[in-house]
């Protein structure tokens, strides 16, 4: 039944209405309801004053925009009334962070928690007074709510206008997007052929930027040729027509849910393309085609003036190495088309080496290098950061659970009339789902007692947010947060980067996220429009407890450096073949983009595929099959039957999560925060997990075991009688041994259920490993005998702890020597491993299924250097037993147990002597 006016409903069955509400704020809000035959459209909430002064004194209700009469609410069904009801929670008009911090410190004292407060003072910022702005641009900025530009924005705009490449490395919410969009829009308005390309690491960032770009459109009444489709918009800016659009890959996305149906418009007339680096790699494939979208791509590249590389710090390690070659292919194509004037603009969170990284990434150094802007002059709101270390439980035996203290913190935050909006960063997707449900139960009861929430209001207060949710659900969650319909989100790192949510006041981190870059990105989600409070709840893990004991040292830690390898022969061989395909079979002046020594090595190793004549590389191999930048393996969709149809609960579930969380008989919480589902079957061919709703009081957590099996040895590097080193392929097999039934109420202890019909996930990858024989094991034991006597420690435990510490130190050295990130490789060590017939061993292997990154070859080649660097890492640290600065790693699966620093130094000295033989 449509909404019907009590006076003119007979003549206007699909009229427009204004909804007035005082629920969230006594000052009053309104939203418009547009009704048409094809559905209802509801706008966002806005303050009544000054837009709708005629409605200010009206009571809450629905009013016809034609005659101002009320609707016939008796004609609506309960479901329809629910759809248009005001579901918002009270608005937090003022937020006093000092009072909240004091309240939290009192709670910490009461429950005996150790709380350290680090204060970031407010800063008024500095503005660019000398920057020249045209009248139309000034009017547009004012319409966007921007009266002045900051100094760093002015510096960026001026340098971009003068043709320089620019990298902005400033904190979150410092206005980086505006700094590059001002000169880009100026160019696109004055030059009707000029084009721009925006590149991001994630699709969500692309969507966010697209929404911001559409705000540059002239007022609607000035638009003559306005056209909009999902993912594409044609509008005018200062009277000049501009087409902008999003390009996404559509892997594993059902036809009816695709957002890239506007791609033909983007290719044919788009002048500002927005895409992710993964899809750009595949888009370039079309350059070698004279049909289809090939000519349209060439039209765009011929007129490309700006390339924006957003979230630069994400391009570290293997991904960065691959993206660097994609960017070089893009530059090669532009040069071949006569377009030598492409400018690059990069934006990054705080890292140690932004200028070096972006120059490596783009291959532009020296005279055409980058101008770095790393001092942001944007106003900074006051922010308090609390490092919260849980106190001891009542029996004084162990620390209270972090989640228990989280409940105390949230009860303190949401009382005394406080209604801030919160973001809680969890460790994994399952925790985000389950914790959001628990918070709804606990906080609803708390707010009904202390916050003024009526018992009839059973709305969700917290919702989960993670990568497996469908795009529609994620967008709805962010909209509800911004509109005030929920108090907060419990998220994984999926909301760490880029997406602009201005309404957040409190950020809670359930543990250290693993790097300074991630910590400051997550903390930067709050304190944008007013003061913010950040609480990092440290876990009972050695690295985090070290930070809790040395909080000031934590806040002085420098940002991490990012590193890539642009001469990786494996990757270079692959991408040179792509470049040849895109350029008609011949790569011209390849040495202008890649080091000549690296090219010569690739050509020499594949002489049957390449012919080098007068500086040109002629490709004679087979047409390359384009591989994705990252090989994720098969991904699965979790579905439930709805009649003849299937509803998608989760999507893009990887194989590792599949066997842990969605094996047969697994029970998990659905995205609605209410319904539990049980897995009935897994279809490997269709890559679907079929589930059904169940009534249950438990959920499950898979018990996963990994094993390593040597597949083949491709290159025995050392045949010493005591210790051998090898390059080869290993099979990493991950299987579900069983699962734990975890009861939701917590009173019943977990039950373990063993599984017999599981299907293991295994992948083959490249590895470098050391293995000791019986003689070598005896040598290790003999080397450490003196330490055992001094410390009265079990000898086997000592050897295992020493090897474990050596493994950690070498792993810490690899990113600096090999130029990759910690996520690109994995490592393990053992005193008695089944893979090596019960002998001690140490493995370093490629994280990517199938290998192919070239990392382990470099590890093998530079292992002597790595041993020396590892010894420096340990010996230069002044601690006695080992700390995060030397042998503890945040991501250690063994929780940094059984580490021995003194023994590690002895083993490293022994290994270096072996390597010098």
């Amino acid at each position: 039944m449509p909404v019907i006016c009590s006076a003119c409903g007979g003549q206007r069955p699909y009229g427009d209405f204004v909804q007035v509400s005082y629920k969230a704020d006594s000052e009053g809000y309104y939203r418009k309801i547009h009704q048409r035959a094809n559905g209802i459209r509801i706008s966002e909430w806005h303050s009544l004053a000054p837009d709708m002064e005629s409605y200010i004194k009206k009571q809450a209700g629905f009013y016809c925009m034609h005659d101002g009469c009320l609707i016939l609410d008796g004609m609506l069904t309960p479901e329809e009334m629910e759809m248009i009801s005001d579901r918002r929670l009270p608005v937090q008009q003022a937020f006093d962070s000092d009072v909240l911090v004091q309240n939290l410190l009192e709670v910490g004292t009461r429950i005996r928690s150790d709380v350290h407060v680090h204060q970031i003072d407010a800063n008024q910022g500095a503005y660019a007074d000398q920057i020249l702005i045209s009248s139309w641009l000034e009017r547009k900025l004012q319409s966007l709510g921007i009266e002045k530009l900051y100094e760093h924005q002015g510096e960026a705009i001026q340098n971009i206008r003068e043709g320089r490449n620019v990298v902005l490395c400033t904190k979150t919410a410092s206005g980086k997007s505006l700094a590059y969009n001002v000169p880009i829009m100026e160019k696109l308005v004055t030059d009707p052929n000029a084009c721009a390309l925006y590149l991001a690491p994630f699709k969500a960032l692309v969507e966010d930027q697209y929404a911001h770009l559409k705000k540059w459109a002239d007022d609607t009444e000035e638009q003559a040729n306005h056209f909009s489709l999902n993912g594409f918009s044609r509008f005018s800016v200062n009277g000049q027509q501009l087409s902008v659009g999003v390009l996404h890959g559509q892997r594993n996305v059902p036809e009816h849910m695709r957002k890239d149906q506007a791609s033909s418009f983007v290719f044919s007339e788009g002048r500002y393309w927005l895409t992710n680096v993964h899809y750009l790699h595949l888009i370039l494939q079309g350059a070698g085609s004279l049909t289809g979208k090939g000519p349209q791509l060439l039209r765009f590249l011929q007129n490309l003036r700006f390339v924006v590389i957003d979230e630069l710090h994400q391009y570290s390690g293997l991904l960065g190495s691959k993206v660097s070659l994609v960017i070089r292919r893009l530059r090669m194509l532009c040069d071949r088309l006569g377009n030598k004037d492409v400018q690059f603009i990069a934006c990054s969170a705080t890292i140690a080496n932004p200028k070096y990284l972006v120059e490596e990434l783009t291959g532009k150094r020296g005279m055409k290098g980058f101008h770095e802007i790393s001092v942001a002059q944007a106003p900074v709101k006051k922010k308090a950061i609390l490092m919260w270390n849980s106190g001891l439980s009542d029996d004084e035996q162990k620390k209270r659970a972090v989640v228990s203290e989280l409940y105390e913190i949230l009860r303190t935050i949401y009382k005394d009339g406080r209604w801030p909006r919160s973001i809680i960063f969890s460790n994994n997707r399952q925790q985000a789902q389950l914790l959001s449900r628990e918070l709804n139960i606990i906080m609803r009861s708390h707010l009904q007692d202390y916050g003024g929430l009526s018992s009839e209001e059973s709305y969700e207060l917290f919702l989960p947010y993670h990568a497996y949710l469908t795009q529609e659900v994620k967008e709805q969650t962010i909209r509800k947060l911004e509109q005030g319909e929920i108090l907060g989100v419990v998220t994984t790192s999926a909301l760490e980067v880029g997406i602009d949510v201005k309404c957040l006041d409190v950020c809670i981190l359930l543990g250290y996220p693993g790097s300074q870059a991630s910590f400051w990105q997550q903390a930067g989600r709050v304190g944008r429009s007013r003061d913010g409070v950040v609480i990092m709840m440290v876990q009972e893990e050695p690295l985090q407890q070290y930070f809790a004991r040395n909080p000031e040292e934590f806040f002085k830690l420098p940002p991490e450096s990012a590193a890539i390898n642009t001469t990786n022969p494996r990757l270079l061989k692959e991408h040179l073949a792509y470049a040849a395909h895109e350029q008609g079979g011949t790569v011209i002046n390849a040495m202008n983009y890649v080091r000549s020594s690296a090219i010569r090595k690739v050509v020499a190793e594949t002489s049957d595929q390449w012919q080098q004549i007068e500086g040109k590389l002629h490709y004679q191999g087979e047409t390359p099959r384009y591989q994705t930048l990252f090989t994720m393996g098969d991904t699965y969709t979790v579905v439930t039957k709805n009649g003849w149809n299937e509803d998608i609960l989760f999507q893009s579930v990887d194989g590792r999560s599949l066997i842990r969380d969605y094996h047969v008989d697994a029970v998990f919480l659905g995205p609605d925060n209410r319904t539990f589902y049980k897995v009935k079957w897994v279809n490997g061919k269709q890559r679907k997990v079929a589930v059904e709703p169940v009534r249950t009081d438990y959920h499950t957590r898979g018990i996963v075991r990994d094993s390593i099996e040597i597949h083949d040895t491709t290159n025995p590097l050392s045949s010493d009688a005591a210790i051998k080193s090898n390059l080869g392929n290993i099979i990493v097999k991950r299987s579900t041994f069983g699962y734990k039934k975890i009861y939701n109420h917590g009173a019943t202890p977990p039950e373990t259920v063993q599984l017999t019909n599981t299907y293991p996930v295994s992948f083959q990858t490249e590895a470098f490993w050391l293995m000791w024989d019986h003689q070598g094991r005896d040598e290790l034991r003999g080397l450490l005998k003196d330490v055992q006597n001094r410390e009265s420690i079990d000898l086997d435990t000592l050897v295992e702890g020493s090897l474990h510490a050596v493994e950690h130190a070498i792993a810490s050295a690899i990113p600096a020597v090999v130029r990759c990130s910690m996520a690109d490789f994995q490592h393990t060590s053992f005193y008695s491993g089944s893979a090596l017939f019960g002998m001690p061993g140490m493995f370093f292997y490629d994280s990517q299924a199938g290998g192919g990154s070239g990392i382990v070859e470099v590890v093998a080649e530079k292992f002597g250097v790595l041993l020396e660097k590892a010894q420096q890492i340990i010996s230069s640290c002044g601690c006695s037993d080992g700390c995060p600065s030397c042998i503890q790693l945040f991501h250690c699966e063994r929780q940094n147990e059984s580490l021995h620093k003194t023994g590690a130094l002895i083993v490293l000295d022994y290994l270096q002597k072996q390597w010098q033989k």
Side-chain angles (χ1 to χ4, degrees), residues 152 155-156 159-160 164-170 176 309 312-313 344-349 351 353-359 369-375:
H152 67 280
E155 183 181 351
N159 278 276
I160 295 170
R164 296 186 182 90
N165 301 307
V166 171
V167 56
L168 290 109
C169 183
T170 57
K176 291 190 282 286
I309 304 174
L312 172 70
H313 56 282
F344 286 85
I345 306 156
C347 300
S348 176
I351 54 175
N353 57 341
K355 179 177 168 67
Y356 172 83
L357 176 62
V358 73
E359 290 180 348
F370 279 73
H371 175 77
E372 179 182 342
I373 301 171
S374 56
V375 179

Short mmCIF file of all heavy atoms in Angstrom, two decimals, residues 152 155-156 159-160 164-170 176 309 312-313 344-349 351 353-359 369-375:
data_model
loop_
_atom_site.label_atom_id
_atom_site.label_comp_id
_atom_site.label_asym_id
_atom_site.label_seq_id
_atom_site.Cartn_x
_atom_site.Cartn_y
_atom_site.Cartn_z
N HIS A 152 49.62 22.67 3.18
CA HIS A 152 50.12 21.52 2.44
C HIS A 152 49.28 21.28 1.19
O HIS A 152 49.80 20.81 0.17
CB HIS A 152 50.16 20.27 3.32
CG HIS A 152 48.83 19.75 3.74
ND1 HIS A 152 48.12 20.28 4.78
CD2 HIS A 152 48.06 18.73 3.24
CE1 HIS A 152 46.98 19.63 4.92
NE2 HIS A 152 46.92 18.69 3.99
N GLU A 155 50.55 23.84 -1.30
CA GLU A 155 51.84 23.43 -1.84
C GLU A 155 51.67 22.34 -2.89
O GLU A 155 52.32 22.36 -3.95
CB GLU A 155 52.73 22.92 -0.69
CG GLU A 155 54.14 22.53 -1.13
CD GLU A 155 54.98 22.01 0.02
OE1 GLU A 155 54.54 22.11 1.19
OE2 GLU A 155 56.08 21.47 -0.26
N ALA A 156 50.78 21.38 -2.62
CA ALA A 156 50.54 20.30 -3.57
C ALA A 156 49.92 20.84 -4.86
O ALA A 156 50.35 20.49 -5.97
CB ALA A 156 49.63 19.25 -2.95
N ASN A 159 52.51 22.74 -7.01
CA ASN A 159 53.49 21.87 -7.65
C ASN A 159 52.85 21.04 -8.76
O ASN A 159 53.49 20.79 -9.79
CB ASN A 159 54.13 20.95 -6.61
CG ASN A 159 55.26 21.63 -5.86
OD1 ASN A 159 56.40 21.67 -6.33
ND2 ASN A 159 54.96 22.20 -4.71
N ILE A 160 51.62 20.60 -8.57
CA ILE A 160 50.94 19.83 -9.63
C ILE A 160 50.66 20.74 -10.82
O ILE A 160 50.85 20.35 -11.97
CB ILE A 160 49.64 19.20 -9.08
CG1 ILE A 160 49.96 18.17 -8.01
CG2 ILE A 160 48.84 18.54 -10.22
CD1 ILE A 160 48.75 17.67 -7.24
N ARG A 164 54.93 19.04 -11.77
CA ARG A 164 55.77 18.12 -11.01
C ARG A 164 54.97 16.90 -10.55
O ARG A 164 53.77 16.96 -10.34
CB ARG A 164 56.35 18.83 -9.78
CG ARG A 164 57.29 19.96 -10.11
CD ARG A 164 57.95 20.53 -8.84
NE ARG A 164 58.82 21.64 -9.16
CZ ARG A 164 58.42 22.91 -9.19
NH1 ARG A 164 57.17 23.22 -8.90
NH2 ARG A 164 59.26 23.87 -9.49
N ASN A 165 55.68 15.80 -10.35
CA ASN A 165 55.12 14.64 -9.68
C ASN A 165 55.16 14.91 -8.17
O ASN A 165 56.16 15.43 -7.66
CB ASN A 165 55.92 13.38 -10.01
CG ASN A 165 55.95 13.11 -11.50
OD1 ASN A 165 54.91 13.06 -12.15
ND2 ASN A 165 57.15 12.93 -12.05
N VAL A 166 54.10 14.54 -7.47
CA VAL A 166 53.97 14.90 -6.06
C VAL A 166 53.57 13.68 -5.25
O VAL A 166 52.73 12.88 -5.68
CB VAL A 166 52.91 16.02 -5.88
CG1 VAL A 166 52.60 16.25 -4.41
CG2 VAL A 166 53.40 17.31 -6.52
N VAL A 167 54.16 13.52 -4.07
CA VAL A 167 53.72 12.51 -3.12
C VAL A 167 53.34 13.21 -1.81
O VAL A 167 54.13 13.98 -1.26
CB VAL A 167 54.79 11.43 -2.87
CG1 VAL A 167 56.12 12.02 -2.42
CG2 VAL A 167 54.29 10.39 -1.87
N LEU A 168 52.10 12.98 -1.35
CA LEU A 168 51.61 13.54 -0.10
C LEU A 168 51.60 12.44 0.95
O LEU A 168 50.88 11.45 0.81
CB LEU A 168 50.19 14.09 -0.25
CG LEU A 168 50.01 15.34 -1.09
CD1 LEU A 168 49.32 14.99 -2.39
CD2 LEU A 168 49.17 16.35 -0.33
N CYS A 169 52.40 12.60 1.98
CA CYS A 169 52.47 11.61 3.06
C CYS A 169 52.03 12.31 4.35
O CYS A 169 52.87 12.81 5.11
CB CYS A 169 53.87 11.05 3.18
SG CYS A 169 54.04 9.76 4.42
N THR A 170 50.74 12.40 4.54
CA THR A 170 50.19 13.11 5.70
C THR A 170 49.18 12.23 6.41
O THR A 170 48.74 11.21 5.88
CB THR A 170 49.53 14.43 5.26
OG1 THR A 170 48.50 14.14 4.29
CG2 THR A 170 50.54 15.36 4.64
N LYS A 176 43.86 15.14 1.57
CA LYS A 176 44.72 14.78 0.44
C LYS A 176 43.93 14.73 -0.87
O LYS A 176 44.42 15.15 -1.92
CB LYS A 176 45.39 13.43 0.71
CG LYS A 176 46.44 13.46 1.82
CD LYS A 176 47.23 12.18 1.90
CE LYS A 176 46.49 11.07 2.59
NZ LYS A 176 46.40 11.22 4.04
N ILE A 309 47.80 7.68 -7.40
CA ILE A 309 48.04 6.40 -6.72
C ILE A 309 47.71 6.61 -5.24
O ILE A 309 48.47 7.23 -4.50
CB ILE A 309 49.50 5.94 -6.90
CG1 ILE A 309 49.86 5.85 -8.38
CG2 ILE A 309 49.72 4.60 -6.21
CD1 ILE A 309 51.32 5.55 -8.65
N LEU A 312 49.39 4.70 -1.00
CA LEU A 312 50.70 4.24 -1.48
C LEU A 312 51.34 3.22 -0.55
O LEU A 312 51.97 2.27 -1.01
CB LEU A 312 51.62 5.46 -1.64
CG LEU A 312 53.09 5.20 -1.95
CD1 LEU A 312 53.24 4.67 -3.36
CD2 LEU A 312 53.91 6.49 -1.77
N HIS A 313 51.16 3.41 0.75
CA HIS A 313 51.82 2.53 1.73
C HIS A 313 51.37 1.08 1.62
O HIS A 313 52.02 0.17 2.14
CB HIS A 313 51.57 3.04 3.15
CG HIS A 313 50.11 3.18 3.48
ND1 HIS A 313 49.36 4.24 3.04
CD2 HIS A 313 49.27 2.39 4.17
CE1 HIS A 313 48.12 4.10 3.45
NE2 HIS A 313 48.03 2.98 4.14
N PHE A 344 52.28 12.01 -12.09
CA PHE A 344 51.89 11.06 -11.05
C PHE A 344 51.72 11.79 -9.73
O PHE A 344 52.55 12.62 -9.35
CB PHE A 344 52.93 9.95 -10.92
CG PHE A 344 52.90 8.96 -12.05
CD1 PHE A 344 53.60 9.21 -13.23
CD2 PHE A 344 52.15 7.80 -11.96
CE1 PHE A 344 53.57 8.32 -14.28
CE2 PHE A 344 52.12 6.90 -13.00
CZ PHE A 344 52.82 7.16 -14.17
N ILE A 345 50.63 11.46 -9.05
CA ILE A 345 50.35 12.03 -7.72
C ILE A 345 50.07 10.86 -6.79
O ILE A 345 49.19 10.03 -7.08
CB ILE A 345 49.12 12.96 -7.76
CG1 ILE A 345 49.30 14.05 -8.84
CG2 ILE A 345 48.87 13.58 -6.40
CD1 ILE A 345 48.00 14.61 -9.35
N ALA A 346 50.80 10.75 -5.72
CA ALA A 346 50.64 9.63 -4.79
C ALA A 346 50.26 10.15 -3.41
O ALA A 346 50.72 11.21 -2.98
CB ALA A 346 51.93 8.81 -4.71
N CYS A 347 49.40 9.39 -2.72
CA CYS A 347 48.98 9.74 -1.37
C CYS A 347 49.25 8.56 -0.45
O CYS A 347 49.01 7.41 -0.82
CB CYS A 347 47.48 10.06 -1.34
SG CYS A 347 47.01 11.43 -2.38
N SER A 348 49.77 8.86 0.73
CA SER A 348 50.16 7.78 1.63
C SER A 348 49.89 8.16 3.07
O SER A 348 49.92 9.34 3.44
CB SER A 348 51.66 7.49 1.46
OG SER A 348 52.09 6.51 2.38
N ALA A 349 49.61 7.14 3.88
CA ALA A 349 49.66 7.33 5.32
C ALA A 349 51.14 7.44 5.71
O ALA A 349 52.03 7.31 4.87
CB ALA A 349 49.01 6.16 6.03
N ILE A 351 54.64 6.70 6.43
CA ILE A 351 55.65 5.66 6.34
C ILE A 351 57.01 6.34 6.33
O ILE A 351 57.11 7.56 6.17
CB ILE A 351 55.49 4.78 5.08
CG1 ILE A 351 55.45 5.64 3.81
CG2 ILE A 351 54.25 3.92 5.17
CD1 ILE A 351 55.41 4.83 2.52
N ASN A 353 59.58 6.10 4.20
CA ASN A 353 60.27 6.40 2.94
C ASN A 353 59.31 6.62 1.77
O ASN A 353 59.41 5.92 0.76
CB ASN A 353 61.24 5.27 2.62
CG ASN A 353 60.53 3.91 2.53
OD1 ASN A 353 59.41 3.74 3.03
ND2 ASN A 353 61.16 2.96 1.89
N PRO A 354 58.37 7.54 1.86
CA PRO A 354 57.38 7.69 0.78
C PRO A 354 57.98 8.08 -0.56
O PRO A 354 57.58 7.56 -1.61
CB PRO A 354 56.43 8.78 1.30
CG PRO A 354 57.25 9.53 2.30
CD PRO A 354 58.14 8.52 2.93
N LYS A 355 58.96 9.01 -0.56
CA LYS A 355 59.57 9.46 -1.83
C LYS A 355 60.32 8.31 -2.50
O LYS A 355 60.16 8.08 -3.71
CB LYS A 355 60.51 10.63 -1.55
CG LYS A 355 61.23 11.18 -2.80
CD LYS A 355 62.07 12.40 -2.42
CE LYS A 355 63.02 12.78 -3.55
NZ LYS A 355 62.31 13.27 -4.75
N TYR A 356 61.09 7.57 -1.73
CA TYR A 356 61.82 6.43 -2.30
C TYR A 356 60.84 5.40 -2.84
O TYR A 356 61.02 4.88 -3.95
CB TYR A 356 62.71 5.80 -1.22
CG TYR A 356 63.35 4.50 -1.65
CD1 TYR A 356 64.53 4.51 -2.40
CD2 TYR A 356 62.78 3.27 -1.32
CE1 TYR A 356 65.12 3.33 -2.81
CE2 TYR A 356 63.36 2.08 -1.73
CZ TYR A 356 64.53 2.11 -2.47
OH TYR A 356 65.10 0.94 -2.88
N LEU A 357 59.79 5.08 -2.07
CA LEU A 357 58.85 4.04 -2.49
C LEU A 357 58.14 4.42 -3.78
O LEU A 357 58.05 3.62 -4.71
CB LEU A 357 57.82 3.77 -1.39
CG LEU A 357 56.71 2.78 -1.74
CD1 LEU A 357 57.30 1.40 -2.04
CD2 LEU A 357 55.68 2.68 -0.63
N VAL A 358 57.64 5.66 -3.88
CA VAL A 358 56.87 6.02 -5.07
C VAL A 358 57.78 6.14 -6.29
O VAL A 358 57.36 5.85 -7.42
CB VAL A 358 56.08 7.33 -4.83
CG1 VAL A 358 56.98 8.56 -4.82
CG2 VAL A 358 54.98 7.47 -5.87
N GLU A 359 59.03 6.53 -6.09
CA GLU A 359 59.95 6.59 -7.23
C GLU A 359 60.33 5.20 -7.71
O GLU A 359 60.54 4.98 -8.91
CB GLU A 359 61.18 7.43 -6.87
CG GLU A 359 60.84 8.91 -6.72
CD GLU A 359 62.04 9.78 -6.37
OE1 GLU A 359 63.10 9.23 -6.00
OE2 GLU A 359 61.90 11.02 -6.46
N GLY A 369 61.74 13.12 -10.73
CA GLY A 369 61.34 12.50 -9.47
C GLY A 369 60.18 13.22 -8.83
O GLY A 369 59.50 14.06 -9.43
N PHE A 370 59.95 12.90 -7.57
CA PHE A 370 58.76 13.38 -6.86
C PHE A 370 59.10 14.47 -5.85
O PHE A 370 60.13 14.42 -5.17
CB PHE A 370 58.08 12.22 -6.13
CG PHE A 370 57.20 11.38 -7.02
CD1 PHE A 370 57.77 10.52 -7.95
CD2 PHE A 370 55.83 11.45 -6.93
CE1 PHE A 370 56.98 9.74 -8.78
CE2 PHE A 370 55.02 10.69 -7.75
CZ PHE A 370 55.59 9.83 -8.67
N HIS A 371 58.20 15.43 -5.76
CA HIS A 371 58.25 16.44 -4.71
C HIS A 371 57.46 15.89 -3.52
O HIS A 371 56.28 15.58 -3.64
CB HIS A 371 57.64 17.75 -5.20
CG HIS A 371 57.54 18.80 -4.14
ND1 HIS A 371 58.62 19.53 -3.71
CD2 HIS A 371 56.48 19.23 -3.39
CE1 HIS A 371 58.25 20.38 -2.77
NE2 HIS A 371 56.95 20.21 -2.56
N GLU A 372 58.12 15.77 -2.37
CA GLU A 372 57.49 15.18 -1.19
C GLU A 372 56.88 16.25 -0.29
O GLU A 372 57.53 17.25 0.01
CB GLU A 372 58.49 14.34 -0.40
CG GLU A 372 57.89 13.70 0.85
CD GLU A 372 58.91 12.92 1.66
OE1 GLU A 372 59.98 12.58 1.10
OE2 GLU A 372 58.65 12.66 2.85
N ILE A 373 55.65 16.01 0.14
CA ILE A 373 54.98 16.87 1.13
C ILE A 373 54.60 15.97 2.29
O ILE A 373 53.73 15.11 2.17
CB ILE A 373 53.73 17.54 0.53
CG1 ILE A 373 54.12 18.39 -0.69
CG2 ILE A 373 53.02 18.39 1.57
CD1 ILE A 373 52.94 18.92 -1.48
N SER A 374 55.26 16.15 3.42
CA SER A 374 55.05 15.24 4.55
C SER A 374 54.65 15.96 5.83
O SER A 374 54.46 15.31 6.86
CB SER A 374 56.30 14.40 4.80
OG SER A 374 57.42 15.24 5.01
N VAL A 375 54.51 17.26 5.78
CA VAL A 375 54.08 18.01 6.96
C VAL A 375 52.69 18.56 6.69
O VAL A 375 52.50 19.44 5.86
CB VAL A 375 55.05 19.16 7.28
CG1 VAL A 375 54.56 19.94 8.50
CG2 VAL A 375 56.46 18.63 7.52
#
